[in-house]
């Protein structure tokens, strides 16, 4: 039975996990958190749970300690062909489309299983790819599988599974791609196992996309039932980095409970029978973020509409809709895609207006300063 600890201690622990690891344990999950920490403290040679938590939150922990803690706080439960409708869409539509797009050019496919646990997911992807592409020798295929837990990565590399891991896999695929061992376990065929590369990666702390850790230019990313452990803010950050890891037209698969427009606003939702997946749009399909010059009034028209004395020239240009449009554009998606050079003919006048305004203010301050100085100087009559 988990040891009793105060609510204040649990609140401190929850905040620590939130800020240091991005893991989300709200108050309604504190009983689960207490149970997991009771199991984790044994790996740190602690017998008292309160003392273990005090030691944990007192100072930053090493990477190895974070790995051990994460292995207890996250669930590694998975199985082959999980969410079958997703794999049906993968085999029947997504992979064939990717292959058609590449077969006349650079024959390569790059796939990433993020949070792969014991390996059932990346091996399922390899089986799906082998079904669509029976002779992959002419292709450069990368299936990278990463996780934060080195222990389960070692199990995944071995490729040995019990009967429970096959509860979602069609029987014919199990017979075709696995070999039964004497101890009753099943070993995945070597030609499937060698298609997958396993590596350690922390989605919260590590840098990606990077060529150094092979997380860039991905055609397809599986990150299912992983973001559910993160705070909403951290999940948004990870979602953006996964978006950056994809090529244009790339696909992202997340768990059914993780589908959220708040977490993945930059993606386009694509509906398949029984499954929803995300896609990064191609440049050609993105809406152009431009405006028509004929829709913008001239500074003279603005003055006539407002009435009264005309304001200074810099003020007329500052209030011009063109300046507002240019300022909004600077922070728009098109600017982030390095297309800002297309708007320089419109941005340049706004920069000139800013310079004129500052010059005018500077000259005004100088006149005020000179006037005050001249007033304090003695006149010839007084001298």
């Amino acid at each position: 039975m988990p040891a009793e600890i105060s609510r204040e201690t649990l609140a401190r622990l929850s905040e620590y996990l939130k800020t240091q690891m991005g893991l989300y344990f709200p108050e309604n999950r504190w009983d689960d958190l207490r149970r997991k920490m009771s199991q984790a403290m044994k790996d740190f040679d602690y017998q008292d749970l309160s003392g273990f938590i005090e030691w944990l939150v007192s100072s930053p922990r090493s990477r190895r300690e974070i790995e051990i803690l994460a292995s207890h706080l996250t669930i590694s439960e998975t199985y082959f062909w999980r969410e079958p409708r997703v794999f049906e869409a993968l085999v029947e539509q997504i992979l064939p489309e990717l292959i058609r797009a590449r077969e006349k050019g650079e024959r390569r496919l790059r796939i990433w299983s993020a949070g792969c646990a014991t390996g059932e997911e990346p091996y399922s992807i390899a089986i799906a790819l082998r079904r669509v592409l029976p002779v992959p020798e002419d292709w450069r295929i990368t299936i990278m599988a990463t996780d934060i837990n080195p222990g389960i990565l070692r199990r995944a590399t071995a490729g040995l599974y019990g009967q429970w891991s096959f509860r979602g896999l069609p029987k014919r695929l199990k017979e075709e791609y696995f070999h039964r061992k004497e101890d009753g376990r099943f070993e995945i065929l070597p030609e499937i196992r060698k298609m997958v590369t396993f590596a350690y990666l922390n989605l919260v702390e590590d840098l990606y996309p990077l060529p150094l850790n092979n997380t860039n230019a991905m055609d397809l990313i599986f990150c299912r039932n992983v973001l559910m452990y993160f705070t909403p803010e951290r999940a948004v950050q990870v979602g953006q980095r996964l978006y950056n890891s994809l090529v244009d037209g790339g696909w992202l698969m997340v768990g059914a409970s993780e589908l959220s427009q708040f977490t993945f606003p930059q993606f386009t939702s694509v509906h398949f029978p029984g499954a929803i997946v995300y896609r990064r749009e191609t440049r050609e399909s993105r809406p152009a973020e431009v405006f028509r010059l004929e829709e913008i009034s001239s500074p003279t028209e603005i003055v006539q509409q407002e009435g009264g004395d005309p304001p200074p020239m810099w003020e007329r240009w500052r209030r011009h809709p063109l300046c507002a449009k240019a300022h909004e554009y600077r922070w728009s998606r098109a600017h982030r895609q390095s297309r800002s050079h297309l708007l320089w003919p419109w941005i340049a006048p706004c920069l000139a207006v800013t310079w004129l305004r500052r010059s005018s203010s500077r000259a005004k301050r100088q006149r005020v300063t000179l006037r005050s100085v001249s007033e304090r100087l003695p006149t010839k009559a007084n001298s």
Side-chain angles (χ1 to χ4, degrees):
M1 181 177 178
E4 292 297 329
I5 56 177
S6 66
R7 297 177 61 83
E8 292 76 13
T9 301
L10 284 173
R12 288 181 59 200
L13 175 61
S14 177
E15 184 63 25
Y16 172 84
L17 297 175
K18 175 182 176 180
T19 56
Q20 299 297 320
M21 300 177 62
L23 299 180
Y24 185 46
F25 283 92
E27 188 172 353
N28 61 356
R29 293 185 59 199
W30 281 1
D31 288 340
D32 183 42
L33 176 60
R34 185 188 294 108
R35 184 178 64 255
K36 292 177 183 294
M37 294 300 293
S38 299
Q39 298 170 353
M41 71 178 183
K42 299 174 184 177
D43 289 341
F44 293 90
D45 295 328
Y46 269 85
Q47 301 297 326
D48 175 59
L49 182 57
S50 296
F52 171 57
I53 295 176
E54 289 295 333
W55 168 81
L56 182 67
V57 302
S58 61
S59 60
R61 307 266 62 93
S62 67
R63 171 172 169 171
R64 176 58 181 163
E65 291 168 340
I66 293 295
E67 292 173 0
I68 297 174
L69 190 61
S71 68
H72 289 278
L73 297 178
T74 57
I75 300 175
S76 301
E77 172 66 14
T78 184
Y79 51 91
F80 288 99
W81 228 251
R82 188 175 187 176
E83 298 181 18
R85 291 300 185 91
V86 172
F87 280 93
E88 288 177 10
L90 181 68
V91 171
E92 296 173 4
Q93 300 190 55
I94 296 175
L95 285 177
E97 178 182 324
L98 289 173
I99 292 171
R100 285 194 299 269
R102 298 281 173 77
E103 60 184 353
K104 294 184 179 179
E106 184 183 6
R107 293 190 168 190
R108 67 162 182 85
L109 286 175
R110 292 175 53 79
I111 303 172
W112 178 13
S113 172
C116 66
T118 46
E120 286 91 334
E121 181 178 86
Y123 286 138
S124 295
I125 297 171
I127 291 173
L129 187 57
R130 179 58 70 97
R131 292 182 62 195
V132 179
L133 198 64
V135 185
E137 285 75 14
D138 295 336
W139 288 71
R140 289 194 297 123
I141 295 174
T142 299
I143 302 177
M144 189 182 67
T146 64
D147 201 275
I148 195 175
N149 189 336
I152 63 173
L153 285 175
R154 288 190 290 269
R155 290 171 54 191
T157 304
L160 292 170
Y161 299 95
Q163 188 65 42
W164 187 241
S165 295
F166 298 95
R167 58 189 183 273
L169 186 68
K171 184 178 179 180
R172 57 186 176 82
L173 295 181
K174 177 182 174 183
E175 296 174 349
E176 184 176 355
Y177 294 104
F178 292 85
H179 170 70
R180 188 181 181 93
K181 303 282 286 184
E182 293 182 356
D183 59 3
R185 293 185 297 172
F186 293 84
E187 182 180 17
I188 197 162
L189 295 182
E191 56 265 32
I192 300 298
R193 182 168 53 189
K194 70 180 182 180
M195 294 175 66
V196 181
T197 301
F198 293 93
Y200 172 90
L201 189 135
N202 187 332
L203 289 173
V204 173
E205 295 184 350
D206 289 339
L207 296 177
Y208 60 94
L210 281 178
L212 185 63
N213 54 20
N214 204 21
T215 53
N216 64 309
M218 290 292 171
D219 299 295
L220 178 65
I221 296 177
F222 276 68
C223 187
R224 302 189 300 169
N225 305 306
V226 175
L227 302 182
M228 59 188 291
Y229 295 106
F230 298 159
T231 63
E233 298 79 10
R234 191 60 60 91
V236 170
Q237 295 173 3
V238 173
Q240 180 61 51
R241 296 170 77 178
L242 294 177
Y243 177 87
N244 296 338
S245 299
L246 287 167
V247 298
D248 283 343
W251 300 83
L252 172 67
M253 276 70 167
V254 298
S257 62
E258 298 168 321
L259 294 168
S260 169
Q261 189 61 33
F262 171 79
T263 308
F264 307 103
Q266 62 277 70
F267 284 93
T268 299
S269 301
V270 182
H271 293 248
F272 294 102
I276 301 175
V277 301
Y278 290 119
R279 189 174 196 185
R280 173 170 172 162
E281 293 180 343
T282 60
R283 294 184 184 274
E284 291 76 13
S285 63
R286 295 173 192 162
E289 300 191 33
V290 299
F291 51 89
R292 295 188 304 231
L293 292 178
E294 58 267 22
E295 295 178 351
I296 303 177
S297 304
S298 68
T300 304
E301 292 173 341
I302 296 176
V303 173
Q304 292 175 349
Q305 293 170 5
E306 295 178 350
D309 296 332
M313 177 61 70
W314 60 262
E315 177 65 19
R316 279 185 275 168
W317 275 109
R318 185 184 68 82
R319 293 154 62 181
H320 196 289
L322 184 62
C323 290
K325 286 285 185 180
H327 181 73
E328 294 173 2
Y329 183 88
R330 174 173 172 78
W331 304 106
S332 68
R333 183 173 67 182
H335 178 82
R336 294 197 303 270
Q337 294 167 356
S338 301
R339 298 180 183 175
S340 57
H341 65 281
L342 301 176
L343 201 71
W344 271 113
W346 294 277
I347 294 179
C350 300
L351 297 177
V353 168
T354 303
W355 180 82
L356 288 172
R357 184 179 182 182
R358 292 178 178 176
S359 299
S360 177
S361 301
R362 190 182 306 111
K364 184 177 180 180
R365 288 195 302 270
Q366 290 174 350
R367 287 196 298 270
V368 172
T369 303
L370 290 173
R371 188 183 304 116
S372 62
V373 171
S374 63
E375 290 175 353
R376 290 196 299 267
L377 291 175
T379 61
K380 291 183 179 180
N382 295 333
S383 60

